[in-house]
Amino acid sequence: MHKAPRLPKSAPRVRLTILSGPGKGQSLELTRCVSILGSRRGCKLQLKSPDISAVHCAIVNTTEDVYLRDLVSGTGTFLNDLKAQVEKLEDGDTIRLADWDLRVHISAYTLDTLSDLPHVSLEPGADAVGVELNGSGEMVRIQRPVGLVGRREGCDVLVKDSKISRAHMLLFNYSGQPVFFDLLSNNGVTMDGERMHFGNLHSGDRLMLGSVALRMILPGVGRRQQGSSTGSKGSGAGKNGTPRSASPVVPTPSSPPPPNASFASNGGTGTVIQPLDDDGSDRIDIRAAEIDR
């Protein structure tokens, strides 16, 4: 499975500090392009509470801007006391999830060398993104800088299929390149027969979500060359957050579903910060005392 890349030094540097709730005072550096906050094991910030959805919200760093995306959570995500869907984050913002208040710290890095550039293809970015389901001929155009695919009302691309997670996958631009990101879904995202967490997208690419086929149309991005590695490419939205457009989907055989991801126990409440597919170099665990409910 291809991991989401570590952010280059040229990207905004993002850190979260817990202002209130279990783990108060602790801070966490967000070192990858997507950081998931939720109750499910595998989230970058695991908040163990019955009021926190399995994947509750995500912080997306495009290397140019930083966005907060609610993942159609049950109790909502609030930015500076206003209910949020997709919002650009600024230094000093406050995010509230159930019993937790989180302070956002954003600072800029200086680009020193070419080695600090993001590891993505240097092809032109997409200026529009659309998605077609199962060759239906009907295209859904992504209208937000961070698009959400899932089966729950409120998703940008709504897929009514039991094998699709409520919040299944994100589409956005990473350093100007369209990419996709799997949200710890039960049945995953498969490209060219390989299950992937993250990858670049080209026009005509087909993704399998469970038994559902999606085809992407990206007018600003050429088709994938035969034999090119899907792991070096990405999926997402238009450049600088502008929408993109997708192409018709051709159904392909569904791959066998992988084992279900494990959920965090909600028997108690607390905070566990852990990386999504990270190694131990940026691992921080916080296990706070239970709070009275």
Side-chain angles (χ1 to χ4, degrees), residues 240-260:
N240 295 328
T242 56
R244 315 147 227 165
S245 74
S247 68
V249 161
V250 175
T252 59
S254 60
S255 55
N260 288 348

Side-chain angles (χ1 to χ4, degrees), residues 192-203:
D192 294 337
E194 181 181 7
R195 183 166 175 175
M196 298 172 63
H197 284 313
F198 174 92
N200 287 80
L201 288 177
H202 288 64
S203 280

Side-chain angles (χ1 to χ4, degrees), residues 155-218:
C155 291
D156 299 280
V157 180
L158 183 62
V159 185
K160 293 291 189 180
D161 187 284
S162 61
K163 292 185 179 179
I164 303 298
S165 296
R166 292 187 301 172
H168 197 104
M169 176 180 73
L170 293 178
L171 297 173
F172 61 98
N173 256 25
Y174 176 67
S175 190
Q177 307 299 311
V179 298
F180 70 86
F181 183 90
D182 176 41
L183 291 165
L184 300 175
S185 62
N186 289 334
N187 291 306
V189 178
T190 302
M191 179 186 285
D192 294 337
E194 181 181 7
R195 183 166 175 175
M196 298 172 63
H197 284 313
F198 174 92
N200 287 80
L201 288 177
H202 288 64
S203 280
D205 278 350
R206 296 178 179 88
L207 304 179
M208 294 298 302
L209 280 62
S211 59
V212 175
L214 307 182
R215 187 175 178 184
M216 311 301 299
I217 294 180
L218 311 170

Side-chain angles (χ1 to χ4, degrees), residues 128-132 139-142 215-217 244-247:
V129 165
V131 179
E132 187 191 25
M139 186 184 74
V140 178
R141 180 166 176 161
I142 305 297
R215 187 175 178 184
M216 311 301 299
I217 294 180
R244 315 147 227 165
S245 74
S247 68

